[in-house]
Amino acid sequence: MVYLYKMETMKSYPIIYVDEAGNTGSNILNDTQPNFVLSAIHFTSEELNQIFKDISYDKEIHFVNMKRSIEGRQKIKQILQHPLMNKKNVSFQFVNKRFCIYAQIVDMTIEPVFHFIYNRDLYIDRGNIILANCLFVFCENHKKKWIVEDFIKSFEIMMREQSNESIDAFYENVDILSELSDKYLCDILFHIRMSKDIIEHVLTEDRKYCLDLTTTSLVNLAWYWSNKLNSDIDIITDTSKPLKESLPIIKQLSSKDIPSTLVGYDTRKHQYPLRIHSISMKDSASDLGIQLADIVASSISFMYNDSHSKFEQFKKELRAIPFSKLDGFPIQPASSEFLSQKVDNSNDSSPLDFIIKNLNSRCEL
């Protein structure tokens, strides 16, 4: 068991159980699992006991194992249809990983051009979201599919390897794609090409988990639950290497020494410090809450990822139950209506600047 930090008092806090599905690490373009899901659910011990009493299943609750048998599939449906499995207790973040790679390209190449060269903040007025959506649409509808695949795959490799060879390969693919594209895409690619001279200032030392989605998704859902419950929270999650690597940063951003501040852009704001009292990692076999979080994350992932014809009927059955209609927090291509909305940016502030400032100040202590 790994703790973020020890509790200083015996006061109890609401517990949020967390698990993930569809995680392929830095191999974000894995075709078999195009979507990533992180579930974060809140139940009291009494509610957990009630659910497990009602479903009466004498084996470990684990989606991958249960879906293989008729009895297991019936129990999964029974769990998801339990009255307590509702929006009051269940939340999740759903990430279209292919869209995410285009958003990462914008964040890691175009945003630095705006910052270092144009001295402008791309995140104001949702500029980064607009560009990510344009890049996604132009590339995904490109006639030369093979070069688009080389383009995004070489970006993934560059982020993972960060060698001179991988950097050169990415920008070569930017040039090739530019030669085969229309003006609108070329305009975006031009700004990506401009980033080559400053890319060394952008690449992170964290190569292994630089594209991993676990930690950012957890922070989003932790903010949601602490805000909803108006309380610090204890998080219990299945063992996660990316999350374990991020614990020191999460600890610093949860420090009570950080001044209470709302940072971010338009509707994309978070309150700091994070109201996370502790994080512990447990084996799911010994924790009923994590087992339920697995069912939530894996069921949603299965409905949108799994293409095996053997389970097509089961997928249809899951999509037919009310649980499948629960709203999550999606990261996916935005609607034209969303992109055209006017936003209030009067109180915008850069979360990156705030985080860097407070991490640096904490490191100096």
Side-chain angles (χ1 to χ4, degrees):
M1 185 183 298
V2 180
Y3 280 96
L4 171 61
Y5 52 96
K6 293 181 179 180
M7 292 182 286
E8 297 177 354
T9 69
M10 294 302 292
K11 178 181 177 181
S12 61
Y13 295 89
I15 298 175
I16 308 300
Y17 300 94
V18 172
D19 202 10
E20 63 188 30
N23 190 348
T24 51
S26 291
N27 182 20
I28 198 170
L29 293 172
N30 186 302
D31 290 337
T32 62
Q33 299 188 75
N35 302 300
F36 169 80
V37 180
L38 186 80
S39 64
I41 64 176
H42 169 58
F43 291 104
T44 65
S45 58
E46 292 79 12
E47 289 171 331
L48 283 177
N49 290 331
Q50 186 63 52
I51 292 173
F52 281 86
K53 177 183 177 182
D54 292 342
I55 64 172
S56 184
Y57 191 66
D58 59 0
K59 303 173 186 176
E60 179 186 351
I61 303 294
H62 193 272
F63 183 90
V64 172
N65 295 332
M66 294 172 71
K67 78 171 184 179
R68 296 175 181 150
S69 68
I70 294 175
E71 179 193 13
R73 293 194 290 273
Q74 291 298 326
K75 289 298 179 181
I76 290 172
K77 290 190 291 183
Q78 186 179 350
I79 292 171
L80 297 180
Q81 294 179 89
H82 194 280
L84 289 171
M85 298 294 285
N86 54 46
K87 64 180 181 180
K88 176 185 174 183
N89 301 316
V90 174
S91 70
F92 61 91
Q93 180 142 322
F94 179 92
V95 182
N96 178 319
K97 292 193 285 185
R98 195 167 178 87
F99 172 73
C100 192
I101 203 76
Y102 291 106
Q104 290 271 18
I105 291 172
V106 171
D107 280 346
M108 302 303 293
T109 64
I110 299 180
E111 190 280 332
V113 168
F114 273 68
H115 178 76
F116 289 111
I117 298 176
Y118 297 155
N119 195 28
R120 289 174 55 191
D121 190 338
L122 183 62
Y123 298 108
I124 291 178
D125 294 330
R126 299 177 176 171
N128 63 315
I129 299 177
I130 293 171
L131 274 176
N133 277 270
C134 289
L135 186 60
F136 175 85
V137 170
F138 293 152
C139 286
E140 291 299 286
N141 291 282
H142 203 286
K143 294 180 179 179
K144 307 293 185 181
K145 300 293 185 185
W146 60 272
I147 184 54
V148 169
E149 293 304 313
D150 287 348
F151 165 63
I152 58 178
K153 187 64 179 178
S154 62
F155 172 77
E156 182 185 68
I157 293 172
M158 178 182 72
M159 295 301 299
R160 190 164 58 233
E161 297 183 359
Q162 300 186 21
S163 63
N164 290 332
E165 293 77 13
S166 64
I167 293 172
D168 288 340
F170 170 66
Y171 286 99
E172 286 174 10
N173 282 315
V174 172
D175 291 338
I176 295 172
L177 184 57
S178 295
E179 294 173 0
L180 301 171
S181 303
D182 61 23
K183 178 183 181 302
Y184 298 105
L185 179 54
C186 283
D187 286 346
I188 297 176
L189 296 171
F190 171 77
H191 288 88
I192 294 175
R193 189 67 182 79
M194 287 179 66
S195 69
K196 185 175 183 180
D197 294 335
I198 57 175
I199 195 67
E200 63 184 66
H201 302 292
V202 176
L203 294 177
T204 172
E205 294 181 1
D206 178 14
R207 303 178 187 181
K208 190 173 182 180
Y209 300 116
C210 62
L211 296 177
D212 189 86
L213 305 166
T214 308
T215 301
T216 53
S217 296
L218 177 70
V219 169
N220 288 339
L221 292 176
W223 181 85
Y224 165 77
W225 278 109
S226 61
N227 188 54
K228 180 177 180 177
L229 299 171
N230 191 25
S231 170
D232 288 7
I233 57 175
D234 288 328
I235 296 174
I236 300 179
T237 177
D238 201 0
T239 303
S240 168
K241 291 181 180 178
L243 185 56
K244 186 176 180 180
E245 289 291 321
S246 301
L247 285 180
I249 293 177
I250 296 176
K251 176 180 179 179
Q252 291 180 62
L253 294 177
S254 303
S255 169
K256 301 304 182 185
D257 293 334
I258 294 178
S260 180
T261 312
L262 185 66
V263 299
Y265 300 92
D266 49 81
T267 59
R268 299 164 291 159
K269 289 184 170 71
H270 283 167
Q271 188 83 30
Y272 288 94
L274 299 173
R275 300 186 67 179
I276 299 175
H277 175 255
S278 71
I279 296 180
S280 59
M281 296 182 187
K282 295 184 178 180
D283 184 345
S284 61
S286 63
D287 195 283
L288 301 181
I290 297 178
Q291 291 179 32
L292 276 187
D294 166 74
I295 291 295
V296 171
S298 297
S299 295
I300 296 167
S301 175
F302 171 79
M303 282 188 271
Y304 294 97
N305 278 343
D306 195 288
S307 59
H308 200 296
S309 58
K310 177 181 178 182
F311 299 109
E312 191 61 33
Q313 179 57 38
F314 181 45
K315 183 188 297 186
K316 292 179 181 178
E317 292 171 358
L318 290 185
R319 287 183 170 179
I321 64 178
F323 173 85
S324 68
K325 305 301 188 294
L326 289 180
D327 292 329
F329 299 93
I331 297 179
Q332 59 189 12
S335 65
S336 57
E337 179 184 359
F338 175 85
L339 295 177
S340 62
Q341 288 176 351
K342 289 186 177 181
V343 294
D344 180 6
N345 59 15
S346 58
N347 294 313
D348 285 357
S349 60
S350 170
L352 186 58
D353 290 346
F354 179 86
I355 290 171
I356 290 174
K357 175 184 176 181
N358 283 280
L359 286 182
N360 288 342
S361 64
R362 294 289 297 166
C363 290
E364 292 169 1
L365 295 179

